[in-house]
Amino acid sequence: MGIADLLREVDGSGEFGVCLGRLDGVPVFEHDAERTHYSASTMKLPVAMAMMRKVEAGELALDQPVTVHNDFTSAAGGRFGVNPAEDEAPATWKQMGQQVSLGWLATEMITRSSNLATDLVLELVGVEAADAELGGGPSAIRRGIDDAAAQRAGISNEMSPAGLARVLVAVGNQKDASGDYLRDLLAGNQWNGEIPAMLPEGTRVEHKNGWDTRIRHDGGIIRPSDASPFVLAVCTTSDLPDAEAQKLIASIALEAWNHRHDLEAIR
């Protein structure tokens, strides 16, 4: 069954986008790839990229101390805090009022998808710098996680499969210590129910996923031991049960894997 067949099976139940290609950035399969979805936690990758750009420039340091707090400037004006009930990464919350390193927060942000860690990093990096990593186009970072006032005002973070694939290609081709650092963060992701789920055990997948009500996304660099690496990004906004949305993404990844020696043949 091809990727197009998998998408036909869920036709009418929501919006589904796919972008598949090699690390040269040329897509070999696209389906609604430029249509944006609410980004959920996929925006954390551009935040990490912007952070490393500032580290390279000497504006930030991975070992600099950051006091953990939960009070941030809203994109709509005023202040907001992260809802702990919607943050599935408890370690950052246990450090409230204490100092931790920026590098520790970045690890929590990517490997555990901590919302609180994300807003702490974003506060230092800046929304504009994180958004700039997307390179323009319809994808955008406009606010922090759980900025409810901004959300009510229509200020949202958006991501398309093509936009997610583009930042993954950038990370995959970054030939320096910062690139190694980012790729290792992505490979350490502890939430592996989408792209990696059906791939052979031990396959290196450098990925960042995101989820919310009706939302399930994942984008990653897949590195087979017997073929060239490739990039896959899938965004879903649908009425599918969450487990089925995860299975859809995993099935698309498996179909890509099965064509890893000839990605151009995929349908």
Side-chain angles (χ1 to χ4, degrees):
M1 179 178 289
I3 295 177
D5 297 314
L6 291 167
L7 294 170
R8 274 193 289 270
E9 287 190 342
V10 296
D11 189 40
S13 58
E15 298 177 356
F16 305 90
V18 179
C19 186
L20 170 68
R22 297 198 185 276
L23 273 179
D24 61 5
V26 178
V28 299
F29 181 93
E30 291 183 297
H31 175 86
D32 283 345
E34 293 290 355
R35 176 185 287 177
T36 59
H37 302 246
Y38 171 57
S39 70
S41 292
T42 61
M43 56 82 74
K44 295 171 183 176
L45 174 54
V47 173
M49 295 166 68
M51 178 194 75
M52 290 310 297
R53 198 174 296 279
K54 288 183 177 287
V55 168
E56 291 170 351
E59 299 174 33
L60 296 173
L62 291 175
D63 61 356
Q64 74 181 66
V66 181
T67 301
V68 176
H69 59 273
N70 188 25
D71 180 55
F72 304 98
T73 301
S74 170
R79 312 291 294 178
F80 77 97
V82 175
N83 182 354
E86 295 186 0
D87 196 344
E88 298 175 78
T92 312
W93 293 91
K94 293 178 181 178
Q95 301 296 324
M96 189 65 66
Q98 305 299 310
Q99 288 190 331
V100 298
S101 71
L102 178 61
W104 186 86
L105 287 171
T107 298
E108 287 296 302
M109 174 175 70
I110 297 297
T111 67
R112 296 288 183 180
S113 208
S114 167
N115 292 340
L116 181 57
T118 300
D119 283 346
L120 289 163
V121 175
L122 185 61
E123 185 174 56
L124 292 170
V125 168
V127 169
E128 292 85 359
D131 182 64
E133 295 296 330
L134 291 167
S139 299
I141 296 174
R142 302 183 177 99
R143 61 171 175 83
I145 299 285
D146 271 358
D147 186 346
Q151 185 176 11
R152 288 192 297 271
I155 303 170
S156 186
N157 298 323
E158 298 180 76
M159 187 72 74
S160 69
L164 183 53
R166 280 190 286 270
V167 294
L168 287 162
V169 166
V171 170
N173 286 295
Q174 192 171 342
K175 308 299 184 185
D176 56 19
S178 291
D180 292 339
Y181 179 84
L182 290 167
R183 290 187 290 271
D184 285 345
L185 279 184
L186 294 170
N189 192 341
Q190 300 298 299
W191 301 101
N192 293 307
E194 297 88 26
I195 287 176
M198 294 184 184
L199 302 185
E201 187 175 354
T203 301
R204 182 175 170 98
V205 182
E206 300 157 5
H207 73 116
K208 186 67 200 83
N209 40 7
W211 57 93
D212 203 335
T213 304
R214 301 186 72 240
I215 299 290
R216 187 57 76 162
H217 312 321
D218 200 6
I221 303 167
I222 302 169
R223 297 188 182 273
S225 61
D226 60 348
S228 298
F230 58 93
V231 173
L232 173 65
V234 184
C235 296
T236 77
T237 304
S238 77
D239 297 322
L240 294 178
D242 195 50
E244 289 188 22
Q246 288 184 288
K247 183 179 178 181
L248 173 65
I249 297 172
S251 298
I252 290 171
L254 179 60
E255 183 66 16
W257 173 270
N258 289 338
H259 287 81
R260 64 193 181 278
H261 298 297
D262 186 14
L263 278 185
E264 286 73 14
I266 207 157
R267 297 290 180 266

